[in-house]
Amino acid sequence: MRRESLLRFREMAADDHPAMIELMRRSPGVSVRDADTPEGLARFLVRNPGLSFVAESDGRLVGCLMGGHDGRRGHLHHLAVDAGHRRRGIASALVERCLSALERQGIHKTHIDVYRNNAAGNGFWENAGWSRRDDTHRFSIARGGRENA
Ligand SMILES: CC(C)(COP(=O)(O)OP(=O)(O)OC[C@H]1O[C@@H](n2cnc3c(N)ncnc32)[C@H](O)[C@@H]1OP(=O)(O)O)[C@@H](O)C(=O)NCCC(=O)NCCS
């Protein structure tokens, strides 16, 4: 008889870093950057407590989403769900947790960057009712020659 795996959501912790990086590296559409060091994740979580979440199946990390805000707008980063666990609502549940937590902190508008060629990512956000912005361009700068910052 096939056993149902036990799915659990909880707040992200700094020591989730190795499992998250491993999940992100095997998730096309997610870029691992120089900012994604263990120290970088720890700093993000200290600055944005209670806004990032993971999903675990039988104790193994199978989904992650980092949420934060700058005092005005929310920003989400690094949504990924393990390929064997997709289309079961895990990403939707992670996003709902992040947005609810942001709302409780008074943040009512949130952004996510999605690569144009990421069909799964674009399909997901469109289905979730997010508005694709064609009226703005995102400008970025990396200082100190750090192209992969
Ligand atoms: C995108 C991703 C996070 C979705 O995770 P998920 O847990 O499978 O998403 P959900 O089960 O919550 O999907 C909810 C709905 O989103 C839409 N959706 C999800 N994956 C989709 C896909 N590959 N193509 C089109 N629409 C999709 C569907 O409407 C889906 O509802 P349905 O399953 O009832 O049809 C996952 O495919 C993934 O990790 N992809 C690789 C990394 C990535 O692209 N991350 C996003 C970066 S912005």
Side-chain angles (χ1 to χ4, degrees):
M1 196 173 76
R2 189 170 174 272
R3 191 177 62 86
E4 285 299 314
S5 57
L6 186 66
L7 189 66
R8 170 177 174 252
F9 294 87
R10 62 165 172 78
E11 280 184 24
M12 188 181 289
D15 61 8
D16 288 320
H17 182 268
M20 272 181 60
I21 292 293
E22 205 255 316
L23 172 60
M24 283 155 47
R25 286 202 193 282
R26 55 188 160 82
S27 301
V30 176
S31 290
V32 178
R33 300 289 187 181
D34 295 347
D36 295 312
T37 56
E39 299 72 32
L41 177 63
R43 186 175 54 197
F44 184 87
L45 295 176
V46 167
R47 283 176 62 95
N48 298 281
L51 296 173
S52 298
F53 296 88
V54 298
E56 288 179 322
S57 175
D58 289 334
R60 191 170 78 91
L61 192 142
V62 295
C64 61
L65 177 60
M66 294 166 65
H69 70 81
D70 55 20
R72 182 168 184 273
R73 297 298 188 221
H75 301 273
L76 303 186
H77 310 268
H78 293 337
L79 172 66
V81 172
D82 175 72
H85 291 77
R86 291 185 188 158
R87 306 305 281 258
R88 297 184 200 171
I90 293 178
S92 307
L94 288 167
V95 171
E96 180 52 36
R97 275 170 173 73
C98 278
L99 294 183
S100 296
L102 284 163
E103 232 178 319
R104 286 195 292 276
Q105 296 191 22
I107 303 296
H108 301 287
K109 189 169 188 178
T110 292
H111 302 301
I112 173 86
D113 286 323
V114 186
Y115 288 113
R116 285 174 189 233
N117 64 1
N118 180 357
N122 284 290
F124 172 80
W125 295 107
E126 274 166 22
N127 172 267
W130 288 52
S131 306
R132 197 183 68 205
R133 299 292 296 264
D134 294 323
D135 57 336
T136 59
H137 288 284
R138 183 88 187 260
F139 286 82
S140 305
I141 190 167
R143 306 257 296 189
R146 295 172 177 268
E147 287 309 314
N148 194 45

